[in-house]
Amino acid sequence: MLVAWSAVSRYSLSAVGRDRPGIVAAVTGALADHGCNLQDSTMATLQGQFAMVLIVSAPDDVDSAAIEADLDTVAQRLDLVVALRALHEDGAPSSSAPGGASDPGTSGSAWMIAVHGADRPGIVHAITAALADAGGNIVDLATHLVGPPSDPVYTLAIRATLPRGSTDRSLDPLLQAADAFGVHCTVHSDDADVL
Amino acid sequence: MSIRPVLQIPASVLVSPAAAVGRVDDAARALAQDLLDTMAASPACVGLAAPQIGVGLRAFAVDVTGHRKARSCHGAFVLFDPKVVVEGPAEVAREGCMSVPDLTGDVARATQLTVSGIGPDGEPCSLRVDAFEARAVLHELDHLDGLVFLDRVAGPHALFPRKVYR
């Protein structure tokens, strides 16, 4: 569903469905037919489900209804759930109030957080809730369920930013949350060296 | 000498710092042989640390003989109470571990270092290693500190499915 297309030129687009050849080609084809330009994108396959998220720019005079119609055609043909959303210049969806100018993903200090242990419900919530309480913002996150079905192991990796001045002690609540779940957690700085 | 089962996470011995060996006695020499035997019996295995066979002591075996990424190669060796002095820059490369099922990951490791410890003969031993042998040493050293490569992985999307060695 397109939200407030007029007077904006950037959009977020997500598409999810059972993996099969041709999904990326079909979705991007519908966009290219209307002069849309792909900016950032990420795509992943999780247990046979393909997911893509894209930031798309479009000419101001683009026929939004035609793009939506073409995306709908692709979605029906490939059995995808597709969502397109117009963005303000600051990245917020056009249906929400404008927010601050800073990007929480690129300000502050960068950290890597690794968690692994016996699988049980609630690990991601416990760790990310502790991270949010510490003022952390998740930039990237991936989880994997591995090992034999009789003894599954859960892995969680997070790249996050913390407010300036934070130290590894700022992440102690994550270690405590991990301990409470009986899983192993390590954190280390992930700031890049600028050469 | 015997081939021992290799433990996988979340075994507690794999996430706990190992204790110093100290004096090399018959039990330590038997541990060294078990590490070498288990490593040799495990396909594509180039290193094994004592915690991986359930022993919480600071000992590991490495053997990168014949590996295409190896430059330095000291053959099969065992060190007790190893210490490392890093002497070169880090490189990111893909690695896996018998104690981490199904996954490999990209990890930054130093490519030149000197590792010193005590050999199974009880004598001090110091080796300069580089490239893949350095990576193997640092991977095994991490096991002695209760860490696996998941704790070092370069990013959330730097983990990948592992092929199966038979």
Side-chain angles (χ1 to χ4, degrees), chain B residues 127-150:
Chain B
L127 304 171
R128 281 203 82 197
V129 298
D130 65 14
F132 190 66
E133 195 172 41
R135 177 168 295 274
V137 164
L138 291 172
H139 178 114
E140 302 313 326
L141 196 70
D142 269 353
H143 278 301
L144 309 186
D145 293 328
L147 300 174
V148 295
F149 75 82
L150 298 174

Side-chain angles (χ1 to χ4, degrees), chain A residues 112 114 116-118 140-142 144-148 151-153 155 157-159 184-186 188 190, chain B residues 8-10 14-16 100-103 145-148 150-157 159-161:
Chain A
M112 267 296 300
H116 50 87
D140 195 7
L141 182 152
H144 298 272
L145 184 62
V146 296
D151 195 13
V153 173
T155 74
I158 301 172
R159 178 174 284 125
H184 182 73
C185 178
T186 53
H188 62 84
D190 194 40
Chain B
Q8 294 191 331
I9 57 170
L14 291 169
V15 294
S16 306
V100 177
D102 302 341
L103 294 173
D145 293 328
L147 300 174
V148 295
L150 298 174
D151 298 302
R152 300 269 193 201
V153 73
H157 286 90
L159 288 171
F160 307 91

Side-chain angles (χ1 to χ4, degrees), chain B:
Chain B
M1 58 180 281
S2 61
I3 297 168
R4 307 267 290 263
V6 177
L7 303 182
Q8 294 191 331
I9 57 170
S12 60
V13 69
L14 291 169
V15 294
S16 306
V21 173
R23 194 171 65 90
V24 177
D25 55 13
D26 286 346
R29 281 186 285 275
L31 171 62
Q33 195 59 53
D34 286 355
L35 286 169
L36 291 169
D37 293 344
T38 307
M39 179 172 65
S42 305
C45 180
V46 297
L48 197 65
Q52 292 181 277
I53 57 172
V55 178
L57 292 173
R58 298 186 74 81
F60 67 68
V62 162
D63 184 2
V64 298
T65 302
H67 197 284
R68 62 186 172 85
K69 295 178 182 173
R71 284 205 301 263
S72 72
C73 178
H74 294 83
F77 64 90
V78 172
L79 284 178
F80 299 118
D81 297 337
K83 290 183 167 46
V84 157
V85 176
V86 169
E87 297 163 351
E91 281 182 3
V92 174
R94 188 81 43 92
E95 58 187 68
C97 178
M98 292 176 68
S99 294
V100 177
D102 302 341
L103 294 173
T104 62
D106 288 343
V107 178
R109 305 263 192 206
T111 55
Q112 292 177 14
L113 53 91
T114 295
V115 58
S116 304
I118 306 168
D121 58 1
E123 296 297 317
C125 175
S126 186
L127 304 171
R128 281 203 82 197
V129 298
D130 65 14
F132 190 66
E133 195 172 41
R135 177 168 295 274
V137 164
L138 291 172
H139 178 114
E140 302 313 326
L141 196 70
D142 269 353
H143 278 301
L144 309 186
D145 293 328
L147 300 174
V148 295
F149 75 82
L150 298 174
D151 298 302
R152 300 269 193 201
V153 73
H157 286 90
L159 288 171
F160 307 91
R162 184 177 71 177
K163 66 180 181 181
V164 177
Y165 294 100
R166 298 185 191 283

